[in-house]
Amino acid sequence: MGLLKNSLLLQDATAQAAAAAAGVGRRGVATSTEEYMRRNYANNVSEYNTVIGSLVQQRRPYLLRDAYDDMLLDGVQPVRDTFHNLIVGTMKGSRLQDAFYFRDQMREMGLQPDVNLYNFLISTCGKCKNSDAAILLLEEMKAHGVKLKGETYICLLNALAATGRTDQVYAIVRDMTAAGLGLNKFCYAGLITAFKNKTPASEDTPAKILEFVQQSKGWQYVERVANDSAENIMMNVSEEELYNLPTAEFAHRRGFIFKQLTIYHVAIHACADLGSKETLEALLDMFTKENFNYDAFIVMQAVRCYLRCGDIDSAVKMFEEFSSLKPTPAELYVTLAEGAMIGYTPRGMEVAQATLEKMTERKFFLNPKMGTDLLLAASGEKTGGYTTANYIWDMLQTRNIIPALPAVEAYYKGLKEREIPSDDPRLVNVARVLDNLQLRLGPRRNFQ
């Protein structure tokens, strides 16, 4: 009976934790035993750890502090594993303030953060582009006698790279060399990212990207730094996520990325961000000479780069060649459609419309994020019949998906700018959805 009760409690843990965040699950001082048991969703540290782990896996980091507060109100003493779960959750959710709060709480309870926890904290600094905080954590580790691991150096390198601190990134490389550690693919990835993010932009960045890709080849299959620690695997934290690589969200997608191509993933992603077609084609030439096969991520970033450079034909060609050989993920369709709308040229809007129609034919569906991104892009079209924006809206409506408020506002504004009767069913429907969203979230100040 006890096992069944615990199973039911844990099965509904996420919903109960959400209720706690809204104040429904909070326990007051004068609560009857029966009411307490009805509201409570965990009774001991093991059950709370399971609830916290569930929130982390559900990507709901905004509820972690509520669950932690309930834990303390229940008189349940957190243990080291509890704090590790909490800080991993804040890392995945890029919530730096919460991460430091849990670190401070950990210390107050007499628990000293270990090297793995510092790695997660430094990684969070990188995700939040706060390299100064990462440096302070390094000094803190040294002050408390916490020995740095190879992972720690790479976390630091990539955290500093997120803000383009090339001088400090080189300093970390020198420290690694002094500690007897060689550079692996994640180090070269960090070096590329650092130059990409450097401000003001450096003229030699494209040359540096090619140089680092070339240098990395000697280390491609020789890892001088240990792979994922057992704790990272247990916490379901991939190397890509720990080091803030652009492939992090796809690391657990089977067949989406080939992990041996990490350096090319980062380099081609940098080309897309920088809009450097020449560098992209030099990289693709190097890639072909090594007899590698493209994965979905490389094609997605190459397509994005071509489209940002206004070369629609090359983007379509690359998309079609890949689609003819391998299953094409929905993200690649969305990348082509969204990028083709840059500048709202007749050719680009035609490609975007055709791509979306292919998605529908192949039974691909837009999720809320994809739909929001596409609708926001399509709603910027000032001329023409608004065909693509209307098509995206209809795709979402068919699945009962409501895009985010900014996209609905932009779409509504675009409809109002056209000669559409005030009682038009589409306009009335969009106005109703917009009113409902504004009622829930509040209108945006700059919306007219």
Side-chain angles (χ1 to χ4, degrees), residues 164-383:
R165 306 280 284 271
T166 54
D167 53 340
Q168 292 184 330
V169 167
Y170 277 131
I172 296 297
V173 170
R174 288 193 294 271
D175 289 346
M176 290 184 70
T177 304
L181 297 170
L183 303 184
N184 68 2
K185 59 186 179 182
F186 299 112
C187 301
Y188 287 106
L191 287 164
I192 290 171
T193 303
F195 275 89
K196 182 200 76 171
N197 293 331
K198 187 177 181 180
T199 52
S202 174
E203 293 183 358
D204 66 342
T205 295
K208 284 290 185 182
I209 291 174
L210 296 174
E211 177 187 332
F212 291 135
V213 171
Q214 194 68 39
Q215 288 179 4
S216 71
K217 292 180 181 179
W219 299 93
Q220 194 158 9
Y221 302 105
V222 182
E223 300 296 332
R224 291 291 185 93
V225 179
N227 289 330
D228 278 348
S229 70
E231 177 160 5
N232 293 346
I233 296 171
M234 185 175 65
M235 295 283 188
N236 200 28
V237 178
S238 66
E239 289 175 307
E240 290 79 7
E241 189 167 26
L242 185 65
Y243 304 138
N244 300 319
L245 300 190
T247 51
E249 65 177 298
F250 306 109
H252 298 293
R253 291 269 300 274
R254 186 175 180 181
F256 199 99
I257 61 172
F258 303 151
K259 294 198 174 188
Q260 69 269 30
L261 303 178
T262 294
I263 195 69
Y264 281 103
H265 292 150
V266 176
I268 294 175
H269 179 269
C271 291
D273 283 353
L274 296 170
S276 179
K277 178 180 170 181
E278 295 78 9
T279 312
L280 169 67
E281 293 183 338
L283 286 168
L284 294 179
D285 185 57
M286 292 168 61
F287 189 92
T288 304
K289 288 178 179 177
E290 293 189 67
N291 294 320
F292 287 137
N293 294 319
Y294 295 143
D295 61 20
F297 186 84
I298 284 178
V299 174
M300 190 165 71
Q301 297 308 316
V303 165
R304 189 165 71 92
C305 183
Y306 280 129
L307 293 170
R308 289 195 64 185
C309 297
D311 189 350
I312 295 176
D313 292 337
S314 294
V316 171
K317 180 183 177 184
M318 190 155 201
F319 173 87
E320 290 179 346
E321 287 177 353
F322 182 80
S323 299
S324 66
L325 298 173
K326 297 181 180 180
T328 307
E331 287 88 350
L332 189 47
Y333 284 95
V334 171
T335 298
L336 178 59
E338 185 178 0
M341 289 187 275
I342 295 173
Y344 305 104
T345 63
R347 165 71 170 145
M349 298 309 292
E350 180 186 334
V351 169
Q353 181 73 24
T355 303
L356 293 170
E357 290 172 357
K358 286 180 183 177
M359 279 190 74
T360 304
E361 290 171 5
R362 300 190 182 187
K363 307 299 182 184
F364 279 115
F365 302 110
L366 298 176
N367 62 30
K369 182 183 182 304
M370 291 177 183
T372 294
D373 292 343
L374 284 172
L375 185 62
L376 200 56
S379 297
E381 185 184 12
K382 300 299 181 186
T383 59

Side-chain angles (χ1 to χ4, degrees), residues 45-98:
V45 68
S46 177
E47 290 183 3
Y48 267 109
N49 284 348
T50 303
V51 169
I52 291 167
S54 176
L55 292 175
V56 172
Q57 292 304 314
Q58 294 285 332
R59 298 279 178 173
R60 302 173 79 178
Y62 49 88
L63 294 177
L64 291 174
R65 286 202 47 176
D66 295 298
Y68 179 75
D69 289 345
D70 285 345
M71 188 177 190
L72 297 184
L73 286 170
D74 280 344
V76 177
Q77 178 73 22
V79 296
R80 182 174 292 276
D81 286 347
T82 308
F83 286 110
H84 277 232
N85 273 326
L86 288 167
I87 290 176
V88 166
T90 59
M91 180 196 75
K92 288 175 178 285
S94 303
R95 297 175 73 89
L96 187 59
Q97 187 174 355
D98 285 350

